[in-house]
Amino acid sequence: MRAAVVREVGSPPEPGELPDPQRSDGDALLEVHAAALNPIDVAIASGRFYAGPPQVPYAPGREGVGIVREGSGFAAGTRVRFERDAGYGANGSVAELVVVDESALVPLPDEADDAVAAALGVAGLAAWLALEKAQVDGAIVVVLGATGAVGQTAVQAAKLMGARHVVAAARNADALEAVRALGADALVPIADGDLTAALKQAAGGEIDAVIDPLWGEPAIAALKALRIGGRLVHLGTSAGLEATVPSAQLRGNNLSIVGHSNLTTPNETKARAYRELLDQAIAGRLRVELDVFPLDRVADAWREQASSPHRKIVIRLRNR
């Protein structure tokens, strides 16, 4: 099969060929139409992922859209969104064929575009599920890292879930301005200065919930802006792997810090959330900024993913 092939740890993938995968019981063999790239794919290929360097050669990618060729639970020809775990030892989604656990498949309606359906997955689910944990209906919400793929979805989804005021915060002031069109009520550049005070001012008072894909100093500044009983849902470490949490705010204000990871979320929960996300996108209420590359330009797509977190990158392997 044709695939994007990582031949050396630290090098971008190039178009090439790999052996066809073999299906086992409980798996489905899929013909891939579109595969989305994610920061975790770059981290694994570079050897920076916590599990260590991958075995090469291999095809990267955790998610995509395709049709079932063989499987016991789905008829051949069924179009599905799929996700595979981040483990090593098997080829990923940026390949003409992939084998995936059947429990991780979600059938797609005809009106769903392949590229959009692929791009909505990992980042969209992280935002949607984190917001559910944050209980944002009627709340004043801060979205940190609002210019990234997760943050852009979180700003829109917070409003869809009933948030009454959404503050978008990020380091890139130019990219942040574009988030206003996604429904942000106020913008806060993360720069030198008192971020806690800036967030409170933008919120018009104390804050009910924070969506945090950053951690580090921005997360602690946002934590200090929370009201008594407020909630911070943590789902990423773009600003740092560690943060010093002050006891006074945490205990004195009865705050909650809740972690979220897609990797440890049951497939049935992700499938339900994904269908809700997709319905919003089909209805035009949720936008996904994306760029589509053919497989022959996968190295360019890889460099784009590594350098710019503001748009989803999708590799198209077949036309529908």
Side-chain angles (χ1 to χ4, degrees):
M1 66 177 180
R2 293 193 73 224
V5 184
V6 176
R7 299 197 181 278
E8 295 182 8
V9 175
S11 297
E14 297 284 352
E17 292 190 356
L18 290 169
D20 290 357
Q22 301 301 309
R23 186 175 75 89
S24 301
D25 290 343
D27 292 337
L29 175 65
L30 307 179
E31 176 186 289
V32 182
H33 287 186
L37 295 182
N38 290 282
I40 190 174
D41 301 321
V42 177
I44 289 172
S46 68
R48 293 185 286 105
F49 192 55
Y50 68 85
Q55 293 183 347
V56 292
Y58 79 104
R62 289 190 56 213
E63 63 174 335
V65 167
I67 62 171
V68 175
R69 277 198 176 180
E70 298 175 13
S72 58
F74 293 84
T78 303
R79 193 166 65 110
V80 294
R81 184 259 169 179
F82 66 88
E83 182 177 340
R84 56 184 297 277
D85 64 32
Y88 302 156
N91 288 321
S93 58
V94 193
E96 290 181 322
L97 299 172
V98 69
V99 168
V100 180
D101 186 332
E102 288 195 336
S103 69
L105 305 184
V106 182
L108 295 175
D110 289 341
E111 58 267 35
D113 176 77
D114 279 347
V116 172
L120 268 177
V122 169
L125 285 169
W128 194 267
L129 292 167
L131 285 160
E132 289 184 342
K133 291 181 177 180
Q135 304 170 39
V136 299
D137 187 16
I140 296 176
V141 180
V142 166
V143 177
L144 299 177
T147 58
V150 173
Q152 290 179 45
T153 299
V155 167
Q156 299 174 81
K159 282 303 188 75
L160 292 170
M161 291 184 181
R164 61 188 171 96
H165 190 83
V166 176
V167 178
R171 292 193 181 278
N172 188 322
D174 293 335
L176 187 59
E177 186 59 40
V179 180
R180 195 185 300 276
L182 300 180
D185 298 294
L187 308 178
V188 175
I190 297 176
D192 294 336
D194 190 340
L195 180 57
T196 300
L199 292 173
K200 283 187 175 183
Q201 181 177 5
E206 292 184 319
I207 292 154
D208 299 300
V210 174
I211 302 301
D212 167 43
L214 302 183
W215 204 229
E217 293 182 4
I220 300 308
L223 189 79
K224 293 177 180 178
L226 283 168
R227 65 164 173 81
I228 293 174
R231 305 166 294 282
L232 183 146
V233 181
H234 167 61
L235 61 150
T237 54
S238 296
L241 295 173
E242 297 183 353
T244 301
V245 179
S247 174
Q249 271 75 33
L250 189 63
R251 293 172 57 225
N253 286 345
N254 284 315
L255 302 180
S256 299
I257 299 176
V258 181
H260 172 74
S261 170
N262 286 356
L263 291 175
T264 51
T265 301
N267 283 333
E268 58 268 25
T269 300
K270 289 190 286 188
R272 184 268 307 161
Y274 179 79
R275 286 189 291 265
E276 293 171 357
L277 269 168
L278 187 60
D279 286 346
Q280 297 290 353
I282 290 171
R285 293 186 289 267
L286 192 149
R287 288 164 42 193
V288 183
E289 300 294 330
L290 59 86
D291 289 316
V292 180
F293 291 78
L295 179 59
D296 288 343
R297 292 188 59 208
V298 68
D300 294 334
W302 194 261
R303 285 187 282 269
E304 185 74 13
Q305 174 64 67
S307 64
S308 176
H310 307 308
R311 298 175 71 86
K312 287 293 296 183
I313 306 298
V314 176
I315 309 298
R316 189 179 296 281
L317 291 104
R318 295 177 188 269
N319 290 320
R320 189 176 164 189

